[in-house]
Structure formats: C-alpha cells, structure tokens
Amino acid sequence: MIASMSTPFRLTVLSLAIAASLAGCNRDKAEDKAAPPAATAGTGPVITPADAAAPMAFESKTPFAEVSLTLPVAIKAQPDLHARLYAAAVRDLREFSEGAQADRTEAGGDEGMGAYDKSIEVTPGAETGKLFSLIRTDSEYTGGAHPNSSFAAILWDKALKREVGAAELFTKAGDLSALDVALCAAINAEKKTRDPQAETVSLTGSEMWKCPRAESLPFVLAQGTTPGKAGGLVFLIGPYQVGPYSDGSYQVTVPQSAFRALLAPAYADEFAGEPKPQPAGA
C-alpha cells in the first residue's frame, strides 16, 4: 500500500508544476515575437519613403544586352522620388534585356551582331521652393544606322511628394495657344542658330515638319535670373520631331513672361525674372 502524500509535499509539487507551465508559456510567447512575419506569396518589395538609400546607378551586361542607369546627386534630397525613379528605370532596363534575349533567340542567334544597348541618364533641371525637375534621356541601339533616343521629364512637388503635370501647372480653363506660338517661335530661332538656311516650321503648315503643341512635349523648369524662381520652361524635343535626324534633339526655352497668365495660382509664384542662357550644345 502506497502512503498518501502529506499536505506540504503536495503544495510543493503543485508549485513546481505551475512554475514549469508558466515558463513554457513565456518561452512560446518569446519565440512567437521573435519569429519574422511569413512572406506573402506573389508580392514584391514595397517602395516607401524609408527607401532613401536607393542606389545612384545600375548596370547589367549579358551576351544579349548591355544596360545602364545614372542618377544625379541632386535627387538624394528627394528620397521618395529617388526610390520610385530608380525602381521604374531598373524595371525598364530589365524588360529591355529580356526583350533583347527573346529577339536574338527567335532570330536564330547573334549572327555576329553585338549586344543590344540601352542607357538611361537622368539629369537635373531647375528647382524652386516648391518644385524640382529632372530630365530623363533614353538612348537605345538594336541594330541599324544609328541609336534612337527619347526624352521624358519629371516635375515634382516637394511638399506634396507627387508629380505635377501640365493640367495642374496651368489653369484648367486656360488656352495654351499663346504658349504654343511662343514655343514654335523658339524652335525656329534655334533652327536658324544652328543653320541659317534651315526651313522654318509652323503649327498648321503643310510642310513635312510641324511645331508640336506644348502640351504634347515633356518639359522642365528653366534656370532663372531671380534666385529661387524659374525663368521659364525648357521643352525637350527628340530627333525627327521638327526636322531630320541629322538635326539632332532640341532643348528649347520659353520665358515665363510668355505663359505667366496661364499658370495655376498654386504655382504662379514659382516663376519670375528671365531664363538664364543654356550651355552651348544643350
């Protein structure tokens, strides 16, 4: 016959059991807290304002394509824009590389042809108290007589942390015909500077080349003579748009006095003075 446990002994056993149970629960909670959240299938990295350390360049080389990206130091002051722009440009370059591989594979091999090439260079435009601008130049070569290039531009509201388009920069009810006329005059002046014999272009003529509408072109802020203000807008015009490929590209400045009445009240104070002359060859 087994003797029954005394009361003090039973209390001691119960105390030890309760302590062991509590220790196990605490250990389980600590492990749950330390465990990282499970990754959600199918989701990629999320770009947040904390991604201020986005790289300043990207480069990749394969037998099919060579691609590169360069960003200006000035973009570091706008971390949200920096992260978005880097992610978008790298995505474009990777898609180009994948497309190059598919093209060359479908064509039955290299046939002695070199790799395709694409570069993206981002350079700063002018900046004001509210606005920050950048030029993106894409150059790519996939065979043929010469590479192709194109422009894009970003006008960034620094406080709102978002892009500003023509519809927001100018009054919604505004008629941009005055800006179109000023832009066309500036294009013709630049054409004559390059070649005094160059044919002029117009907005409505029947000639092969025409002046584009301002709203259809990318643009950035022009450096101005008044500190902290933009002296106008620089419109970016690629090859073939206003002349033959041999003319090259154009960066044409329109002074703010030509379109000041068209500016939306929110941004009118960002413009003043005259535009500074652009460097030769711009």
Side-chain angles (χ1 to χ4, degrees):
M1 180 177 181
I2 301 175
S4 61
M5 290 186 290
S6 64
T7 299
F9 183 70
R10 284 200 303 272
L11 292 175
T12 300
V13 171
L14 288 172
S15 298
L16 292 173
I18 292 171
S21 178
L22 290 174
C25 290
N26 291 336
R27 183 170 59 254
D28 291 342
K29 290 180 179 179
E31 290 174 352
D32 290 343
K33 184 176 181 180
T40 303
T43 60
V46 177
I47 302 300
T48 69
D51 293 320
M56 297 298 295
F58 173 82
E59 185 175 354
S60 174
K61 294 183 179 182
T62 72
F64 307 100
E66 298 181 2
V67 299
S68 64
L69 164 69
T70 56
L71 297 174
V73 174
I75 201 173
K76 289 184 177 181
Q78 309 300 325
D80 289 6
L81 175 59
H82 185 179
R84 294 185 200 183
L85 184 56
Y86 178 84
V90 170
R91 181 175 61 248
D92 290 348
L93 292 173
R94 285 176 172 159
E95 289 177 355
F96 177 84
S97 294
E98 292 169 0
Q101 182 172 355
D103 285 350
R104 305 292 282 280
T105 301
E106 291 176 3
D110 291 341
E111 298 181 357
M113 181 179 175
Y116 288 177
D117 180 87
K118 180 178 178 69
S119 64
I120 299 175
E121 182 181 13
V122 179
T123 53
E127 180 178 0
T128 69
K130 286 184 180 179
L131 298 171
F132 178 80
S133 61
L134 291 170
I135 300 170
R136 170 174 158 164
T137 304
D138 289 39
S139 179
E140 61 180 65
Y141 180 73
T142 57
H146 52 70
N148 296 314
S149 60
S150 61
F151 289 121
I154 295 174
L155 187 60
W156 182 258
D157 187 310
K158 295 187 285 188
L160 299 179
K161 292 179 172 35
R162 63 177 177 82
E163 288 191 51
V164 176
E168 296 166 294
L169 183 64
F170 301 107
T171 55
K172 293 182 179 179
D175 180 1
L176 297 184
S177 59
L179 179 55
D180 293 336
V181 171
L183 173 60
C184 193
I187 290 172
N188 282 313
E190 176 61 22
K191 286 174 74 72
K192 291 296 185 181
T193 298
R194 297 185 182 189
D195 179 6
Q197 305 302 317
E199 293 185 8
T200 58
V201 290
S202 66
L203 287 162
T204 58
S206 59
E207 62 272 9
M208 181 181 296
W209 313 109
K210 289 184 173 64
C211 283
R213 301 286 176 176
E215 197 171 13
S216 70
L217 294 175
F219 58 82
V220 293
L221 303 175
Q223 293 285 352
T225 55
T226 301
K229 306 293 183 180
L233 294 174
V234 180
F235 289 86
L236 312 172
I237 305 169
Y240 291 126
Q241 287 190 268
V242 295
Y245 183 84
S246 58
D247 281 5
S249 59
Y250 289 77
Q251 294 189 20
V252 178
T253 302
V254 177
Q256 59 90 23
S257 57
F259 58 82
R260 185 166 188 82
L262 305 175
L263 291 167
Y267 298 110
D269 288 344
E270 302 305 295
F271 294 82
E274 296 296 325
K276 290 184 178 179
Q278 292 192 70

